[in-house]
C-alpha cells in the first residue's frame, strides 16, 4: 500500500512552497487511487521545535489545506507526541553499537559506505558516508533532532514515498543510513525544486504575498490556486495549463512530469488563471460565491450583474466590487486615470454628458442595441468620434476608463441609476 505524508512544521503559515509540496503528495495519492491502487495521505505536524511551533500556525496550515481541497486520510498526527518512541529508537541504536554517547547527547555512528538513491525527480543521486560526520540524533535533554524524528516517524507510519522540497536533499543520505541501521525498508524519495521570485531569488516575503491565506483573502479561487501551484514545477505535457476539473489534474499527474529546475512564481499568471477559472464557473455559480456582497439583491439580478463583469474580472473580490458599483450599492469613486481624463477637458466632459442625458432621458428602450444606436447617432450629430461620447459615459457611470462596452454598461446599471450618475457628472 502506498503511504505518503506531508510534514509541515507549524512555525509559520502555509506558504506557496509548502502548499505545493502538499499538493504533489495529494495528487500522487489520488492518481494512484484512480488507478485502483490503495494509497493514503498522512498529515504530520512536526512540532518538535517547541519554542517556534504554535497552535495558531497549525490551524492556519490545516485551514489552508482544507481550503485547497487537500484532504488527508490520517492525522493530523503530532510529532511532539512521539517522544517516547524517539528515545526508545535512539536507545535501540545505542544498544546495537550504531550510536554512541557523546557528553550529553547521542550521536549516530555514520558508516563509511555509499548512499545512493534514485530520486523520483532528479534521478540517481549518491553520497558517501565518509563525507558525513557522525551526527547527533538525540539531544542531552532527550529531544530528537529533525533527521532522527523524521525517520523514526516515517518508519512507524510505514511511509513508502517521501516527497518534499529539494532543500532536504542533503538530509536524505543521513536518513537513508538511519533506515539501514534500523533494518527498515527505504522509501522512495523525490525532491521537488524550489520556487523563485521574478528576480531569480528564493521566493520570500520581499516578492509580495507568499502565504496561501493571503491569496484566499484576495479573492483567488481554491481550484485556481491548486491549478497554479501544480504548474509550478510540473509539466503535464503538451501546452495544457488549465485544469478546471481537478480529476483531470489527478489523471495527468506523475512525478516524471515534475521538473528538475526551479520554477518562477508569477502572480500575474495566477491572476490570469483565476480569471479563466471564474469564467469557467459561469455567472450563476460566481454569483453564489459572492453572495454576501450582493445581499438583498434579487437572485436573477445578481446573476445579470455578475454576467456583465465576468469577462473582465480577475478575482471574486473584483467581481464583488464591480457588481456592487453597477448595482448602486457602492458609490462611484474615480480611478486615477479617469480623474486625469476629466481634468484634461472638464468643460468638454460635462458638455458631452449634458447631450447624453438629454438624448437618453427619453430613450424608449433601455437595452444595449438601441442605446448603442442612439449614442452613435449623437456622435455623428456632434461631428466627433464615437469614443468621445462613450468614454465620458463610462467615466460617469463607474469612474474607470475600461469596462464592458458602454451600451452594455448602461443597460446593466439600469435607466434610473445611470441617468442619476450621468446628471450628477454633467452638473459637475
Ligand atoms: N518538517 C519538515 C519541513 O517542514 C519536513 C521535511 C520532510 O518532509 O521530511 O521542512
Amino acid at each position: 500500500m502506498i503511504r505518503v505524508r506531508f510534514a509541515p512544521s507549524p512555525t509559520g503559515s502555509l506558504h506557496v512552497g509548502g502548499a505545493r509540496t502538499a499538493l504533489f503528495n495529494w495528487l500522487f495519492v489520488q492518481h494512484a487511487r484512480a488507478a485502483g491502487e490503495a494509497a493514503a495521505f498522512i498529515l504530520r505536524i512536526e512540532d518538535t521545535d517547541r519554542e517556534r511551533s504554535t497552535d495558531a500556525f497549525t490551524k492556519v496550515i490545516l485551514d489552508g489545506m482544507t481550503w485547497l481541497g487537500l484532504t488527508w486520510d490520517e492525522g493530523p498526527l503530532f510529532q511532539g507526541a512521539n517522544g517516547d518512541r524517539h528515545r526508545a529508537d535512539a536507545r535501540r541504536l545505542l544498544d546495537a553499537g550504531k550510536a554512541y554517547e557523546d557528553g550529553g547527547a547521542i550521536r549516530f555512528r555514520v558508516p563509511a559506505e555509499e548512499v545512493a538513491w534514485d530520486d523520483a525527480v532528479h534521478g540517481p543521486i549518491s553520497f558517501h558516508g565518509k563525507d558525513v560526520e557522525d551526527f547527533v540524533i538525540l539531544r542531552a535533554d532527550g529531544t530528537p533532532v529533525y533527521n532522527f524524528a523524521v525517520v523514526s516517524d516515517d518508519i512507524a507510519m510505514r511511509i513508502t514515498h517521501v516527497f518534499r522540497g529539494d532543500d532536504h536533499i542533503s538530509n536524505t543520505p543521513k536518513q537513508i543510513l538511519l533506515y539501514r541501521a534500523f533494518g527498515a525498508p527505504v522509501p522512495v524519495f523525490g525532491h521537488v525544486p524550489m520556487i523563485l521570485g521574478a528576480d531569480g531569488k528564493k521566493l520570500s516575503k520581499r516578492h509580495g504575498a507568499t502565504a496561501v491565506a493571503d491569496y484566499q483573502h484576495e479573492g483567488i479561487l481554491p481550484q485556481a490556486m491548486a491549478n497554479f501551484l501544480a504548474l509550478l514545477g510540473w509539466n503535464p505535457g503538451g501546452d495544457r495549463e488549465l485544469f478546471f476539473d481537478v480529476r483531470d489534474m489527478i489523471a495527468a499527474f506523475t512525478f516524471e512530469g515534475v521538473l528538475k529546475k526551479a520554477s518562477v512564481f508569477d502572480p500575474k499568471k495566477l491572476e490570469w488563471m483565476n480569471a479563466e477559472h471564474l469564467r469557467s464557473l459561469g455567472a450563476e455559480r460566481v454569483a453564489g460565491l459572492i453572495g454576501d456582497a450582493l445581499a438583498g439583491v434579487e437572485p436573477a439580478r445578481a446573476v445579470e450583474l455578475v454576467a456583465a463583469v465576468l469577462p473582465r474580472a480577475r478575482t471574486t473580490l473584483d467581481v464583488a466590487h464591480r457588481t456592487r458599483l453597477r448595482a448602486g450599492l457602492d458609490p462611484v469613486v474615480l480611478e486615477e486615470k479617469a480623474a486625469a481624463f476629466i481634468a484634461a477637458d472638464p468643460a468638454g466632459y460635462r458638455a458631452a454628458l449634458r447631450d447624453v442625458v438629454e438624448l437618453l432621458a427619453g430613450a424608449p428602450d433601455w437595452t444595449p442595441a438601441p442605446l448603442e444606436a442612439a449614442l452613435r447617432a449623437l456622435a455623428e450629430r456632434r461631428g466627433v468620434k464615437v469614443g468621445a461620447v462613450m468614454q465620458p459615459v463610462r467615466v460617469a457611470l463607474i469612474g474607470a476608463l475600461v469596462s464592458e462596452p458602454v451600451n452594455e454598461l448602461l443597460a446593466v446599471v439600469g435607466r434610473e441609476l445611470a441617468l442619476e450618475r450621468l446628471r450628477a457628472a454633467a452638473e459637475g
Side-chain angles (χ1 to χ4, degrees):
M1 164 154 183
I2 290 172
R3 291 174 61 83
V4 310
R5 85 304 194 273
F6 174 52
S9 305
T11 53
S13 327
L14 181 63
H15 284 270
V16 172
R20 189 202 49 181
T21 299
L23 176 65
F24 282 5
N25 276 289
W26 183 86
L27 285 170
F28 178 77
V29 164
Q30 306 306 322
H31 181 91
R33 273 196 195 148
E37 276 185 82
F41 178 41
I42 293 128
L43 176 59
R44 182 173 74 227
I45 303 292
E46 304 213 318
D47 57 346
T48 38
D49 184 342
R50 287 277 171 220
E51 308 236 303
R52 292 170 59 227
S53 300
T54 69
D55 291 347
F57 283 136
T58 298
K59 182 173 181 324
V60 170
I61 292 168
L62 303 193
D63 288 351
M65 289 180 66
T66 304
W67 178 67
L68 284 169
L70 306 181
T71 45
W72 52 93
D73 306 300
E74 291 173 33
L77 304 166
F78 291 86
Q79 186 162 62
N82 302 329
D84 288 346
R85 171 165 38 70
H86 298 146
R87 282 183 285 278
D89 280 348
R91 163 74 36 203
R92 273 169 61 202
L93 293 186
L94 207 53
D95 291 348
K98 293 178 176 172
Y100 57 93
E101 294 201 56
D102 175 20
I106 298 181
R107 233 172 241 284
F108 180 62
R109 199 187 302 280
V110 174
E113 59 191 43
E114 211 202 346
V115 190
W117 75 94
D118 191 10
D119 196 273
V121 176
H122 295 273
I125 300 184
S126 66
F127 283 81
H128 203 282
K130 66 179 178 351
D131 301 321
V132 181
E133 278 182 19
D134 289 359
F135 55 92
V136 171
I137 52 176
L138 205 69
R139 298 185 192 93
D141 65 2
T143 59
V145 301
Y146 158 73
N147 279 312
F148 188 69
V150 157
V151 172
S152 174
D153 286 4
D154 283 344
I155 292 173
M157 294 167 193
R158 306 187 314 284
I159 299 300
T160 57
H161 296 71
V162 171
F163 301 120
R164 58 188 172 198
D166 68 5
D167 47 331
H168 283 288
I169 287 186
S170 62
N171 287 319
T172 304
K174 293 180 181 174
Q175 295 182 14
I176 291 177
L177 287 169
L178 287 170
Y179 278 95
R180 287 183 188 166
F182 282 119
V186 179
V188 172
F189 287 97
H191 293 88
V192 300
M194 279 204 307
I195 301 176
L196 309 177
D199 57 0
K201 303 224 169 78
K202 190 174 181 265
L203 191 69
S204 75
K205 285 225 172 74
R206 284 180 299 114
H207 298 101
T210 55
V212 167
D214 293 338
Y215 290 99
Q216 178 180 0
H217 298 131
E218 281 174 18
I220 297 291
L221 297 167
Q223 61 268 43
M225 189 80 204
N227 188 163
F228 173 76
L229 289 173
L231 271 276
L232 274 178
W234 170 54
N235 179 356
D239 296 333
R240 179 147 192 202
E241 289 195 297
L242 292 169
F243 292 89
F244 295 138
D245 186 335
V246 75
R247 284 171 297 191
D248 293 343
M249 199 151 78
I250 289 168
F253 186 82
T254 62
F255 269 90
E256 281 83 68
V258 174
L259 307 170
K260 295 184 177 61
K261 269 180 44 185
S263 44
V264 174
F265 184 89
D266 177 1
K268 282 265 164 281
K269 181 158 181 179
L270 170 58
E271 224 174 57
W272 165 78
M273 218 172 241
N274 197 60
E276 295 294 325
H277 275 265
L278 273 174
R279 285 193 272 284
S280 83
L281 288 179
E284 211 155 312
R285 288 173 67 190
V286 175
L289 292 177
I290 61 144
D292 288 351
L294 295 178
V297 176
E298 211 221 314
R301 170 71 174 143
V303 172
E304 181 189 24
L305 286 159
V306 171
V309 306
L310 209 46
R312 278 167 195 78
R314 295 176 301 266
T315 63
T316 50
L317 285 192
D318 201 16
V319 174
H321 165 73
R322 290 172 191 242
T323 51
R324 286 180 57 83
L325 182 58
R326 282 157 182 73
L329 296 170
D330 285 337
V332 177
V333 177
L334 288 176
E335 286 179 8
E336 212 172 298
K337 283 184 181 157
F341 172 84
I342 298 173
D345 179 12
Y349 172 71
R350 284 197 288 273
L353 290 176
R354 276 196 299 274
D355 285 355
V356 171
V357 170
E358 196 186 327
L359 173 82
L360 296 185
D365 183 354
W366 200 271
T367 56
L371 286 167
E372 159 112 23
L375 290 172
R376 281 185 183 278
L378 175 64
E380 210 165 299
R381 269 211 308 286
R382 298 179 95 222
V384 295
K385 289 199 183 123
V386 182
V389 172
M390 300 293 190
Q391 201 62 320
V393 173
R394 180 178 278 125
V395 169
L397 291 181
I398 55 166
L401 296 187
V402 183
S403 77
E404 62 269 45
V406 165
N407 60 329
E408 291 174 23
L409 180 60
L410 278 163
V412 77
V413 169
R415 182 196 294 268
E416 202 182 323
L417 179 62
L419 286 172
E420 185 187 311
R421 286 182 175 173
L422 291 169
R423 279 199 186 98
E427 284 156 19

